Amino acid sequence: MLQKIIIFFIIFFFAIFQYSVFPNFFFWGLGPNILLLLVIFWTTQVGFEGAFFKNILAGFMLDLGTFQLVGTNVAAFVTVAFFISFISKRFLVIARNWRIFILSLTIIFSTLANNLFLNALFSVANYFGKAVASSAQVPFFSMMLVKEIALNLLFFPLVYFTMKKMERSNLLQVRKKIY
Amino acid sequence: MPKKYFTSKIVKLVVTMIICALLIFFNPSGIMNPVRGIFLTVALPFQKVFYGASQKIGETAAFLTSISEIKKDNAELSRENNSLVAQVASLQEEKNQNASLREQLGLIPKNKFSLAGGFVIGQDPAGSEGWVVFDKGEKDGISAGMAVIVDNGILVGKVDEVYATSSKISLLTNPSSAINVTDVETGAKGIIRGEYGLGLVMDMVTQADVLNVGDTIITSGLGSNIPRGLLVGKVKEVKVSDDRLFQKAVVVSRVKYSNLDTVFVIK
């Protein structure tokens, strides 16, 4: 039970950081998508099913805080996690010495996939006359997406080592999935 | 043994997608709004602290990186100040004329607005300057559609969604925003919209109307509860619209939307 409460608050504070703190630090107004980085971390550690409810909670909180229709980021995160688990299951096991490189590719792929999924969702919704996006969606082929990828790559080690530190201090016990 | 297609993983993915699609496409009258209201109420004190602290840190960092430019700016500002002192004297007469004209045209004097001031505590993380979160809500008499200005009377947006203790303000740079405006110098009428990458665009101006670079754009007060006479910005560039039926102008505001701190809602 304590584990679940800790995870809830981690996701809660990460969500607040994403839209109340990071926009002030970067003159682009754009910050890293740290909830997506959490999704990547948990999925690569415990797999799709182990991280399933955490990913849903992360998407849910991001939807609530950024005034998106609930379900938008939930769907995006769960989809991205599904594909990450498919890739990481095969590559992170086979190529242990290339772990950092594989993780970097995973982050790039996840950021692209997340953005592509949201753009596709908004396009479909707008076609049916449904105002899904409450803000301008960053166009898929744009410098902003490149900046988001760069920021995610920069911040992933911070997220990774913070969560690992919490594991080691027994605040979080991540069940390792044996592939 | 037959291959198992419907693994637990795929079933979970499909069920999640179906539920999310139902929530997104058939969102019945904002069923999640009460949940969002509770979330925003709980998050409000944390947002205030984190946003305020991060803004101060961000400003300090920006200051440190711009020290070299400060000396240059200082000299320029001194020159500008000297010329402005001379202008003030002649503007006093125009101020008196302005008060008389406002009375004749029935414009609300700016200092007679009923204002509710508050702080910005969050903004669009996608960096599109589409919206910000304001720390006042229903309990403070805020309602959707109210105009939002900064302290010197410049319109920055309008209230979009209201919850118990906070509100979402849709900025003028949001593509879904559309405010009726007019050119002070020529009387040309149009609609201000946000456009990704350009900022503000004054659209739907007829070819018969005149738009000049440097013209001042203000709200026209038509079709909404946004009062007339609020400054929007100045015309930077004039173009013909893609269908060649209308003109459009890129408008530059004096406000930097990503740096909003204190804003006022006109009740």
Side-chain angles (χ1 to χ4, degrees), chain A residues 19-20 23-25 29 48-49 52 63-64 66-70 75 79 85 130 134-135 139 144, chain B residues 8-9 12 16-17 23-24 27 36 39 47 51 54 57 121-127 131 168 196:
Chain A
Y19 56 80
S20 284
N24 287 322
F25 283 121
F48 175 78
E49 295 193 65
F52 181 65
D63 285 336
L64 289 180
T66 56
F67 301 94
Q68 305 277 19
L69 278 177
V70 172
T79 307
S85 67
K130 186 82 182 163
S134 61
S135 66
M144 291 294 268
Chain B
S8 161
K9 206 165 143 179
K12 279 182 176 170
T16 308
M17 289 298 122
L23 282 173
I24 293 167
N27 180 27
R36 178 171 285 138
F39 175 83
Q47 278 186 271
Y51 193 87
S54 62
I57 295 170
I121 56 170
Q123 57 181 278
D124 182 2
W131 53 264
K168 178 190 160 200
Y196 187 77

mmCIF file of all heavy atoms in Angstrom, chain A residues 19-20 23-25 29 48-49 52 63-64 66-70 75 79 85 130 134-135 139 144, chain B residues 8-9 12 16-17 23-24 27 36 39 47 51 54 57 121-127 131 168 196:
data_model
loop_
_atom_site.group_PDB
_atom_site.id
_atom_site.type_symbol
_atom_site.label_atom_id
_atom_site.label_comp_id
_atom_site.label_asym_id
_atom_site.label_seq_id
_atom_site.Cartn_x
_atom_site.Cartn_y
_atom_site.Cartn_z
ATOM 1 N N TYR A 19 4.178 21.074 -16.074
ATOM 2 C CA TYR A 19 3.519 22.259 -16.609
ATOM 3 C C TYR A 19 3.595 23.485 -15.714
ATOM 4 O O TYR A 19 3.115 24.550 -16.078
ATOM 5 C CB TYR A 19 2.058 21.964 -16.996
ATOM 6 C CG TYR A 19 1.190 21.408 -15.910
ATOM 7 C CD1 TYR A 19 0.637 22.236 -14.941
ATOM 8 C CD2 TYR A 19 0.928 20.047 -15.844
ATOM 9 C CE1 TYR A 19 -0.152 21.722 -13.939
ATOM 10 C CE2 TYR A 19 0.134 19.524 -14.841
ATOM 11 C CZ TYR A 19 -0.400 20.363 -13.894
ATOM 12 O OH TYR A 19 -1.177 19.840 -12.903
ATOM 13 N N SER A 20 4.195 23.372 -14.531
ATOM 14 C CA SER A 20 4.328 24.554 -13.672
ATOM 15 C C SER A 20 5.765 24.960 -13.411
ATOM 16 O O SER A 20 5.997 26.023 -12.854
ATOM 17 C CB SER A 20 3.638 24.312 -12.321
ATOM 18 O OG SER A 20 2.250 24.408 -12.467
ATOM 19 N N PRO A 23 8.362 25.011 -17.964
ATOM 20 C CA PRO A 23 8.208 26.100 -18.934
ATOM 21 C C PRO A 23 8.943 27.377 -18.531
ATOM 22 O O PRO A 23 9.265 28.198 -19.380
ATOM 23 C CB PRO A 23 6.691 26.329 -18.966
ATOM 24 C CG PRO A 23 6.115 25.020 -18.591
ATOM 25 C CD PRO A 23 7.061 24.456 -17.569
ATOM 26 N N ASN A 24 9.224 27.559 -17.221
ATOM 27 C CA ASN A 24 9.927 28.765 -16.783
ATOM 28 C C ASN A 24 11.436 28.671 -16.956
ATOM 29 O O ASN A 24 12.141 29.671 -16.900
ATOM 30 C CB ASN A 24 9.633 29.034 -15.300
ATOM 31 C CG ASN A 24 8.235 29.543 -15.100
ATOM 32 O OD1 ASN A 24 7.742 30.313 -15.901
ATOM 33 N ND2 ASN A 24 7.590 29.098 -14.046
ATOM 34 N N PHE A 25 11.950 27.461 -17.096
ATOM 35 C CA PHE A 25 13.400 27.303 -17.170
ATOM 36 C C PHE A 25 13.941 27.336 -18.582
ATOM 37 O O PHE A 25 15.114 27.560 -18.789
ATOM 38 C CB PHE A 25 13.822 25.979 -16.520
ATOM 39 C CG PHE A 25 13.823 26.033 -15.033
ATOM 40 C CD1 PHE A 25 13.039 25.184 -14.293
ATOM 41 C CD2 PHE A 25 14.615 26.942 -14.367
ATOM 42 C CE1 PHE A 25 13.042 25.244 -12.904
ATOM 43 C CE2 PHE A 25 14.618 26.999 -12.983
ATOM 44 C CZ PHE A 25 13.827 26.141 -12.259
ATOM 45 N N GLY A 29 9.987 27.798 -23.872
ATOM 46 C CA GLY A 29 8.670 27.568 -23.280
ATOM 47 C C GLY A 29 8.320 26.093 -23.243
ATOM 48 O O GLY A 29 7.251 25.695 -22.769
ATOM 49 N N PHE A 48 5.423 -4.153 -20.077
ATOM 50 C CA PHE A 48 4.152 -3.468 -20.329
ATOM 51 C C PHE A 48 3.145 -3.731 -19.221
ATOM 52 O O PHE A 48 2.512 -2.809 -18.702
ATOM 53 C CB PHE A 48 3.599 -3.926 -21.686
ATOM 54 C CG PHE A 48 2.242 -3.374 -22.010
ATOM 55 C CD1 PHE A 48 2.102 -2.073 -22.471
ATOM 56 C CD2 PHE A 48 1.099 -4.150 -21.852
ATOM 57 C CE1 PHE A 48 0.851 -1.558 -22.772
ATOM 58 C CE2 PHE A 48 -0.162 -3.630 -22.150
ATOM 59 C CZ PHE A 48 -0.279 -2.332 -22.618
ATOM 60 N N GLU A 49 2.995 -4.978 -18.839
ATOM 61 C CA GLU A 49 1.929 -5.305 -17.873
ATOM 62 C C GLU A 49 2.280 -4.843 -16.473
ATOM 63 O O GLU A 49 1.408 -4.407 -15.721
ATOM 64 C CB GLU A 49 1.646 -6.809 -17.924
ATOM 65 C CG GLU A 49 1.088 -7.196 -19.283
ATOM 66 C CD GLU A 49 0.510 -8.589 -19.303
ATOM 67 O OE1 GLU A 49 -0.491 -8.834 -18.605
ATOM 68 O OE2 GLU A 49 1.071 -9.435 -20.007
ATOM 69 N N PHE A 52 1.566 -1.130 -16.411
ATOM 70 C CA PHE A 52 0.315 -0.758 -17.070
ATOM 71 C C PHE A 52 -0.463 0.308 -16.294
ATOM 72 O O PHE A 52 -0.802 1.369 -16.842
ATOM 73 C CB PHE A 52 -0.532 -2.019 -17.271
ATOM 74 C CG PHE A 52 -1.838 -1.788 -17.970
ATOM 75 C CD1 PHE A 52 -1.870 -1.367 -19.291
ATOM 76 C CD2 PHE A 52 -3.049 -1.986 -17.320
ATOM 77 C CE1 PHE A 52 -3.063 -1.151 -19.950
ATOM 78 C CE2 PHE A 52 -4.254 -1.776 -17.976
ATOM 79 C CZ PHE A 52 -4.265 -1.354 -19.296
ATOM 80 N N ASP A 63 -3.480 14.558 -18.472
ATOM 81 C CA ASP A 63 -4.711 15.038 -19.106
ATOM 82 C C ASP A 63 -5.441 16.022 -18.206
ATOM 83 O O ASP A 63 -5.922 17.060 -18.659
ATOM 84 C CB ASP A 63 -5.654 13.867 -19.417
ATOM 85 C CG ASP A 63 -5.191 13.073 -20.609
ATOM 86 O OD1 ASP A 63 -4.469 13.636 -21.448
ATOM 87 O OD2 ASP A 63 -5.564 11.883 -20.705
ATOM 88 N N LEU A 64 -5.516 15.709 -16.928
ATOM 89 C CA LEU A 64 -6.237 16.589 -15.996
ATOM 90 C C LEU A 64 -5.530 17.938 -15.878
ATOM 91 O O LEU A 64 -6.154 18.991 -15.906
ATOM 92 C CB LEU A 64 -6.326 15.949 -14.607
ATOM 93 C CG LEU A 64 -7.243 14.752 -14.445
ATOM 94 C CD1 LEU A 64 -7.212 14.243 -13.014
ATOM 95 C CD2 LEU A 64 -8.681 15.084 -14.834
ATOM 96 N N THR A 66 -3.315 19.439 -17.910
ATOM 97 C CA THR A 66 -3.087 20.226 -19.132
ATOM 98 C C THR A 66 -4.390 20.467 -19.895
ATOM 99 O O THR A 66 -4.362 20.901 -21.044
ATOM 100 C CB THR A 66 -2.080 19.530 -20.060
ATOM 101 O OG1 THR A 66 -2.557 18.214 -20.355
ATOM 102 C CG2 THR A 66 -0.710 19.445 -19.424
ATOM 103 N N PHE A 67 -5.527 20.204 -19.256
ATOM 104 C CA PHE A 67 -6.847 20.521 -19.824
ATOM 105 C C PHE A 67 -7.128 19.770 -21.136
ATOM 106 O O PHE A 67 -7.950 20.204 -21.935
ATOM 107 C CB PHE A 67 -7.020 22.036 -20.040
ATOM 108 C CG PHE A 67 -6.887 22.837 -18.783
ATOM 109 C CD1 PHE A 67 -5.674 23.396 -18.428
ATOM 110 C CD2 PHE A 67 -7.965 22.988 -17.931
ATOM 111 C CE1 PHE A 67 -5.531 24.118 -17.244
ATOM 112 C CE2 PHE A 67 -7.837 23.712 -16.739
ATOM 113 C CZ PHE A 67 -6.620 24.269 -16.407
ATOM 114 N N GLN A 68 -6.467 18.662 -21.350
ATOM 115 C CA GLN A 68 -6.802 17.814 -22.492
ATOM 116 C C GLN A 68 -8.006 16.967 -22.107
ATOM 117 O O GLN A 68 -8.263 16.751 -20.929
ATOM 118 C CB GLN A 68 -5.647 16.856 -22.826
ATOM 119 C CG GLN A 68 -4.307 17.500 -23.074
ATOM 120 C CD GLN A 68 -4.164 18.013 -24.479
ATOM 121 O OE1 GLN A 68 -5.147 18.212 -25.193
ATOM 122 N NE2 GLN A 68 -2.935 18.249 -24.899
ATOM 123 N N LEU A 69 -8.725 16.459 -23.095
ATOM 124 C CA LEU A 69 -9.808 15.516 -22.806
ATOM 125 C C LEU A 69 -9.182 14.272 -22.197
ATOM 126 O O LEU A 69 -8.188 13.748 -22.717
ATOM 127 C CB LEU A 69 -10.556 15.151 -24.078
ATOM 128 C CG LEU A 69 -11.620 16.161 -24.532
ATOM 129 C CD1 LEU A 69 -12.238 15.726 -25.836
ATOM 130 C CD2 LEU A 69 -12.700 16.313 -23.469
ATOM 131 N N VAL A 70 -9.773 13.813 -21.092
ATOM 132 C CA VAL A 70 -9.222 12.659 -20.384
ATOM 133 C C VAL A 70 -9.262 11.452 -21.314
ATOM 134 O O VAL A 70 -10.284 11.147 -21.901
ATOM 135 C CB VAL A 70 -10.024 12.397 -19.096
ATOM 136 C CG1 VAL A 70 -9.588 11.082 -18.470
ATOM 137 C CG2 VAL A 70 -9.817 13.530 -18.113
ATOM 138 N N ALA A 75 -4.114 7.142 -23.688
ATOM 139 C CA ALA A 75 -3.995 6.320 -24.894
ATOM 140 C C ALA A 75 -2.585 6.410 -25.477
ATOM 141 O O ALA A 75 -2.001 5.396 -25.884
ATOM 142 C CB ALA A 75 -5.030 6.771 -25.930
ATOM 143 N N THR A 79 0.016 3.206 -25.613
ATOM 144 C CA THR A 79 0.473 2.762 -26.933
ATOM 145 C C THR A 79 1.994 2.764 -27.009
ATOM 146 O O THR A 79 2.612 1.801 -27.483
ATOM 147 C CB THR A 79 -0.096 3.678 -28.030
ATOM 148 O OG1 THR A 79 -1.495 3.749 -27.886
ATOM 149 C CG2 THR A 79 0.248 3.167 -29.417
ATOM 150 N N SER A 85 7.877 -2.035 -24.920
ATOM 151 C CA SER A 85 8.074 -3.354 -24.316
ATOM 152 C C SER A 85 8.394 -4.378 -25.394
ATOM 153 O O SER A 85 9.181 -5.291 -25.180
ATOM 154 C CB SER A 85 6.831 -3.781 -23.533
ATOM 155 O OG SER A 85 5.756 -3.991 -24.415
ATOM 156 N N LYS A 130 -14.656 17.413 -33.656
ATOM 157 C CA LYS A 130 -14.563 17.351 -32.202
ATOM 158 C C LYS A 130 -13.337 18.122 -31.750
ATOM 159 O O LYS A 130 -12.230 17.834 -32.170
ATOM 160 C CB LYS A 130 -14.444 15.874 -31.792
ATOM 161 C CG LYS A 130 -14.477 15.612 -30.326
ATOM 162 C CD LYS A 130 -15.873 15.587 -29.790
ATOM 163 C CE LYS A 130 -15.818 15.359 -28.285
ATOM 164 N NZ LYS A 130 -17.025 15.679 -27.609
ATOM 165 N N SER A 134 -6.915 21.123 -26.515
ATOM 166 C CA SER A 134 -7.210 22.390 -25.869
ATOM 167 C C SER A 134 -6.089 23.385 -26.115
ATOM 168 O O SER A 134 -6.131 24.488 -25.657
ATOM 169 C CB SER A 134 -7.377 22.181 -24.362
ATOM 170 O OG SER A 134 -6.172 21.683 -23.825
ATOM 171 N N SER A 135 -5.072 22.984 -26.821
ATOM 172 C CA SER A 135 -3.998 23.906 -27.157
ATOM 173 C C SER A 135 -3.475 23.530 -28.530
ATOM 174 O O SER A 135 -3.837 22.500 -29.079
ATOM 175 C CB SER A 135 -2.870 23.816 -26.139
ATOM 176 O OG SER A 135 -2.244 22.554 -26.209
ATOM 177 N N PRO A 139 3.370 20.760 -34.492
ATOM 178 C CA PRO A 139 3.407 20.010 -35.750
ATOM 179 C C PRO A 139 4.479 18.939 -35.708
ATOM 180 O O PRO A 139 5.515 19.119 -35.068
ATOM 181 C CB PRO A 139 3.753 21.070 -36.800
ATOM 182 C CG PRO A 139 3.404 22.364 -36.177
ATOM 183 C CD PRO A 139 3.587 22.184 -34.704
ATOM 184 N N MET A 144 10.455 22.278 -32.860
ATOM 185 C CA MET A 144 10.014 22.069 -31.478
ATOM 186 C C MET A 144 10.104 20.582 -31.117
ATOM 187 O O MET A 144 10.458 20.234 -29.996
ATOM 188 C CB MET A 144 8.563 22.552 -31.286
ATOM 189 C CG MET A 144 8.409 24.057 -31.370
ATOM 190 S SD MET A 144 9.237 24.900 -30.002
ATOM 191 C CE MET A 144 7.922 25.007 -28.812
ATOM 192 N N SER B 8 -2.703 -11.402 -22.973
ATOM 193 C CA SER B 8 -3.170 -10.446 -21.954
ATOM 194 C C SER B 8 -2.739 -9.029 -22.317
ATOM 195 O O SER B 8 -3.489 -8.061 -22.129
ATOM 196 C CB SER B 8 -2.590 -10.898 -20.615
ATOM 197 O OG SER B 8 -2.623 -9.853 -19.706
ATOM 198 N N LYS B 9 -1.545 -8.924 -22.884
ATOM 199 C CA LYS B 9 -0.989 -7.611 -23.251
ATOM 200 C C LYS B 9 -1.861 -6.925 -24.308
ATOM 201 O O LYS B 9 -2.218 -5.746 -24.180
ATOM 202 C CB LYS B 9 0.416 -7.872 -23.832
ATOM 203 C CG LYS B 9 1.395 -6.758 -23.716
ATOM 204 C CD LYS B 9 2.790 -7.322 -23.978
ATOM 205 C CE LYS B 9 3.615 -6.344 -24.743
ATOM 206 N NZ LYS B 9 4.976 -6.839 -25.002
ATOM 207 N N LYS B 12 -5.321 -5.931 -22.942
ATOM 208 C CA LYS B 12 -5.258 -4.699 -22.130
ATOM 209 C C LYS B 12 -5.134 -3.481 -23.031
ATOM 210 O O LYS B 12 -5.771 -2.445 -22.797
ATOM 211 C CB LYS B 12 -4.055 -4.766 -21.184
ATOM 212 C CG LYS B 12 -4.303 -5.580 -19.929
ATOM 213 C CD LYS B 12 -3.103 -5.576 -19.008
ATOM 214 C CE LYS B 12 -3.443 -6.312 -17.726
ATOM 215 N NZ LYS B 12 -2.277 -6.558 -16.874
ATOM 216 N N THR B 16 -8.041 -0.615 -23.273
ATOM 217 C CA THR B 16 -7.670 0.764 -22.917
ATOM 218 C C THR B 16 -7.989 1.717 -24.065
ATOM 219 O O THR B 16 -8.534 2.807 -23.846
ATOM 220 C CB THR B 16 -6.177 0.866 -22.569
ATOM 221 O OG1 THR B 16 -5.844 -0.105 -21.579
ATOM 222 C CG2 THR B 16 -5.802 2.243 -22.061
ATOM 223 N N MET B 17 -7.660 1.316 -25.298
ATOM 224 C CA MET B 17 -7.927 2.166 -26.463
ATOM 225 C C MET B 17 -9.430 2.412 -26.625
ATOM 226 O O MET B 17 -9.857 3.525 -26.933
ATOM 227 C CB MET B 17 -7.389 1.504 -27.749
ATOM 228 C CG MET B 17 -5.883 1.485 -27.854
ATOM 229 S SD MET B 17 -5.186 3.147 -27.891
ATOM 230 C CE MET B 17 -4.124 3.041 -26.498
ATOM 231 N N LEU B 23 -14.140 7.968 -24.146
ATOM 232 C CA LEU B 23 -14.019 9.188 -23.334
ATOM 233 C C LEU B 23 -13.730 10.409 -24.201
ATOM 234 O O LEU B 23 -14.196 11.503 -23.927
ATOM 235 C CB LEU B 23 -12.895 9.022 -22.307
ATOM 236 C CG LEU B 23 -13.206 8.188 -21.066
ATOM 237 C CD1 LEU B 23 -11.959 7.975 -20.226
ATOM 238 C CD2 LEU B 23 -14.279 8.859 -20.220
ATOM 239 N N ILE B 24 -12.930 10.216 -25.265
ATOM 240 C CA ILE B 24 -12.527 11.356 -26.083
ATOM 241 C C ILE B 24 -13.645 11.771 -27.038
ATOM 242 O O ILE B 24 -14.001 12.938 -27.141
ATOM 243 C CB ILE B 24 -11.235 11.029 -26.871
ATOM 244 C CG1 ILE B 24 -10.052 10.874 -25.896
ATOM 245 C CG2 ILE B 24 -10.921 12.114 -27.900
ATOM 246 C CD1 ILE B 24 -8.825 10.259 -26.525
ATOM 247 N N ASN B 27 -17.403 12.313 -25.159
ATOM 248 C CA ASN B 27 -17.289 12.955 -23.848
ATOM 249 C C ASN B 27 -18.594 13.674 -23.531
ATOM 250 O O ASN B 27 -18.850 14.762 -24.025
ATOM 251 C CB ASN B 27 -16.126 13.948 -23.878
ATOM 252 C CG ASN B 27 -15.953 14.637 -22.552
ATOM 253 O OD1 ASN B 27 -16.310 14.096 -21.504
ATOM 254 N ND2 ASN B 27 -15.415 15.834 -22.560
ATOM 255 N N ARG B 36 -11.444 16.876 -12.696
ATOM 256 C CA ARG B 36 -10.409 17.869 -12.985
ATOM 257 C C ARG B 36 -10.449 18.988 -11.947
ATOM 258 O O ARG B 36 -9.409 19.482 -11.517
ATOM 259 C CB ARG B 36 -10.594 18.420 -14.392
ATOM 260 C CG ARG B 36 -9.571 19.499 -14.751
ATOM 261 C CD ARG B 36 -9.615 19.878 -16.217
ATOM 262 N NE ARG B 36 -9.002 18.851 -17.021
ATOM 263 C CZ ARG B 36 -9.485 18.410 -18.172
ATOM 264 N NH1 ARG B 36 -10.602 18.900 -18.651
ATOM 265 N NH2 ARG B 36 -8.860 17.469 -18.846
ATOM 266 N N PHE B 39 -8.763 17.785 -8.859
ATOM 267 C CA PHE B 39 -7.314 17.698 -9.086
ATOM 268 C C PHE B 39 -6.677 19.081 -9.033
ATOM 269 O O PHE B 39 -5.642 19.281 -8.388
ATOM 270 C CB PHE B 39 -7.041 17.050 -10.458
ATOM 271 C CG PHE B 39 -5.592 17.022 -10.849
ATOM 272 C CD1 PHE B 39 -4.743 16.017 -10.392
ATOM 273 C CD2 PHE B 39 -5.050 18.012 -11.660
ATOM 274 C CE1 PHE B 39 -3.404 15.990 -10.740
ATOM 275 C CE2 PHE B 39 -3.708 17.994 -12.016
ATOM 276 C CZ PHE B 39 -2.883 16.981 -11.551
ATOM 277 N N GLN B 47 1.259 24.157 -7.109
ATOM 278 C CA GLN B 47 1.529 24.907 -8.340
ATOM 279 C C GLN B 47 1.988 26.319 -8.035
ATOM 280 O O GLN B 47 2.912 26.840 -8.653
ATOM 281 C CB GLN B 47 0.260 24.962 -9.205
ATOM 282 C CG GLN B 47 0.033 23.739 -10.036
ATOM 283 C CD GLN B 47 -1.139 23.920 -10.975
ATOM 284 O OE1 GLN B 47 -2.275 23.639 -10.635
ATOM 285 N NE2 GLN B 47 -0.867 24.382 -12.170
ATOM 286 N N TYR B 51 5.608 27.197 -9.275
ATOM 287 C CA TYR B 51 5.647 28.141 -10.391
ATOM 288 C C TYR B 51 6.359 29.409 -9.986
ATOM 289 O O TYR B 51 7.216 29.925 -10.717
ATOM 290 C CB TYR B 51 4.231 28.444 -10.887
ATOM 291 C CG TYR B 51 4.207 29.158 -12.220
ATOM 292 C CD1 TYR B 51 4.234 28.432 -13.407
ATOM 293 C CD2 TYR B 51 4.147 30.547 -12.292
ATOM 294 C CE1 TYR B 51 4.201 29.073 -14.630
ATOM 295 C CE2 TYR B 51 4.117 31.192 -13.515
ATOM 296 C CZ TYR B 51 4.146 30.448 -14.684
ATOM 297 O OH TYR B 51 4.122 31.079 -15.894
ATOM 298 N N SER B 54 10.135 28.727 -9.505
ATOM 299 C CA SER B 54 10.827 28.456 -10.770
ATOM 300 C C SER B 54 10.921 29.713 -11.627
ATOM 301 O O SER B 54 11.898 29.919 -12.347
ATOM 302 C CB SER B 54 10.128 27.342 -11.542
ATOM 303 O OG SER B 54 8.825 27.715 -11.880
ATOM 304 N N ILE B 57 13.843 31.730 -10.262
ATOM 305 C CA ILE B 57 15.110 31.105 -10.664
ATOM 306 C C ILE B 57 15.359 31.339 -12.149
ATOM 307 O O ILE B 57 16.470 31.666 -12.569
ATOM 308 C CB ILE B 57 15.105 29.601 -10.336
ATOM 309 C CG1 ILE B 57 15.036 29.403 -8.818
ATOM 310 C CG2 ILE B 57 16.352 28.904 -10.891
ATOM 311 C CD1 ILE B 57 14.782 27.982 -8.388
ATOM 312 N N ILE B 121 -0.092 30.314 -12.585
ATOM 313 C CA ILE B 121 0.544 29.214 -11.826
ATOM 314 C C ILE B 121 0.871 27.998 -12.687
ATOM 315 O O ILE B 121 1.314 26.974 -12.191
ATOM 316 C CB ILE B 121 -0.336 28.778 -10.633
ATOM 317 C CG1 ILE B 121 -1.738 28.386 -11.114
ATOM 318 C CG2 ILE B 121 -0.410 29.868 -9.582
ATOM 319 C CD1 ILE B 121 -2.580 27.720 -10.045
ATOM 320 N N GLY B 122 0.660 28.119 -13.972
ATOM 321 C CA GLY B 122 1.010 27.003 -14.853
ATOM 322 C C GLY B 122 0.810 27.440 -16.295
ATOM 323 O O GLY B 122 0.117 28.425 -16.552
ATOM 324 N N GLN B 123 1.447 26.760 -17.202
ATOM 325 C CA GLN B 123 1.253 27.096 -18.614
ATOM 326 C C GLN B 123 1.395 25.853 -19.477
ATOM 327 O O GLN B 123 1.801 24.799 -19.004
ATOM 328 C CB GLN B 123 2.224 28.179 -19.068
ATOM 329 C CG GLN B 123 3.684 27.852 -18.875
ATOM 330 C CD GLN B 123 4.568 28.999 -19.334
ATOM 331 O OE1 GLN B 123 4.834 29.130 -20.513
ATOM 332 N NE2 GLN B 123 5.013 29.831 -18.430
ATOM 333 N N ASP B 124 1.056 26.029 -20.740
ATOM 334 C CA ASP B 124 1.071 24.931 -21.692
ATOM 335 C C ASP B 124 2.477 24.346 -21.795
ATOM 336 O O ASP B 124 3.394 25.052 -22.220
ATOM 337 C CB ASP B 124 0.593 25.474 -23.049
ATOM 338 C CG ASP B 124 0.512 24.411 -24.116
ATOM 339 O OD1 ASP B 124 0.787 23.229 -23.823
ATOM 340 O OD2 ASP B 124 0.166 24.773 -25.242
ATOM 341 N N PRO B 125 2.663 23.070 -21.425
ATOM 342 C CA PRO B 125 4.014 22.502 -21.473
ATOM 343 C C PRO B 125 4.513 22.212 -22.875
ATOM 344 O O PRO B 125 5.685 21.936 -23.070
ATOM 345 C CB PRO B 125 3.878 21.198 -20.673
ATOM 346 C CG PRO B 125 2.450 20.832 -20.798
ATOM 347 C CD PRO B 125 1.678 22.103 -20.927
ATOM 348 N N ALA B 126 3.595 22.281 -23.861
ATOM 349 C CA ALA B 126 4.008 22.017 -25.241
ATOM 350 C C ALA B 126 4.730 23.212 -25.854
ATOM 351 O O ALA B 126 5.181 23.144 -26.981
ATOM 352 C CB ALA B 126 2.802 21.644 -26.098
ATOM 353 N N GLY B 127 4.793 24.336 -25.111
ATOM 354 C CA GLY B 127 5.550 25.483 -25.604
ATOM 355 C C GLY B 127 4.844 26.272 -26.694
ATOM 356 O O GLY B 127 5.461 27.091 -27.373
ATOM 357 N N TRP B 131 -2.183 28.476 -23.557
ATOM 358 C CA TRP B 131 -3.007 28.731 -22.378
ATOM 359 C C TRP B 131 -2.136 28.826 -21.140
ATOM 360 O O TRP B 131 -0.990 28.381 -21.129
ATOM 361 C CB TRP B 131 -4.059 27.632 -22.193
ATOM 362 C CG TRP B 131 -3.526 26.235 -22.179
ATOM 363 C CD1 TRP B 131 -3.463 25.378 -23.240
ATOM 364 C CD2 TRP B 131 -2.957 25.525 -21.056
ATOM 365 N NE1 TRP B 131 -2.910 24.176 -22.846
ATOM 366 C CE2 TRP B 131 -2.580 24.237 -21.520
ATOM 367 C CE3 TRP B 131 -2.737 25.839 -19.730
ATOM 368 C CZ2 TRP B 131 -2.001 23.280 -20.675
ATOM 369 C CZ3 TRP B 131 -2.155 24.890 -18.894
ATOM 370 C CH2 TRP B 131 -1.791 23.633 -19.381
ATOM 371 N N LYS B 168 -8.675 28.284 -16.470
ATOM 372 C CA LYS B 168 -7.787 28.183 -17.624
ATOM 373 C C LYS B 168 -8.037 29.396 -18.503
ATOM 374 O O LYS B 168 -9.170 29.689 -18.863
ATOM 375 C CB LYS B 168 -8.081 26.902 -18.394
ATOM 376 C CG LYS B 168 -7.237 26.740 -19.625
ATOM 377 C CD LYS B 168 -7.771 25.585 -20.437
ATOM 378 C CE LYS B 168 -7.310 25.668 -21.871
ATOM 379 N NZ LYS B 168 -8.115 24.899 -22.772
ATOM 380 N N TYR B 196 0.235 29.335 -35.238
ATOM 381 C CA TYR B 196 1.470 28.696 -34.788
ATOM 382 C C TYR B 196 2.654 29.203 -35.599
ATOM 383 O O TYR B 196 2.651 29.162 -36.816
ATOM 384 C CB TYR B 196 1.354 27.171 -34.921
ATOM 385 C CG TYR B 196 2.530 26.458 -34.304
ATOM 386 C CD1 TYR B 196 2.631 26.318 -32.922
ATOM 387 C CD2 TYR B 196 3.569 25.983 -35.088
ATOM 388 C CE1 TYR B 196 3.714 25.709 -32.345
ATOM 389 C CE2 TYR B 196 4.657 25.367 -34.510
ATOM 390 C CZ TYR B 196 4.720 25.238 -33.146
ATOM 391 O OH TYR B 196 5.814 24.637 -32.565
#
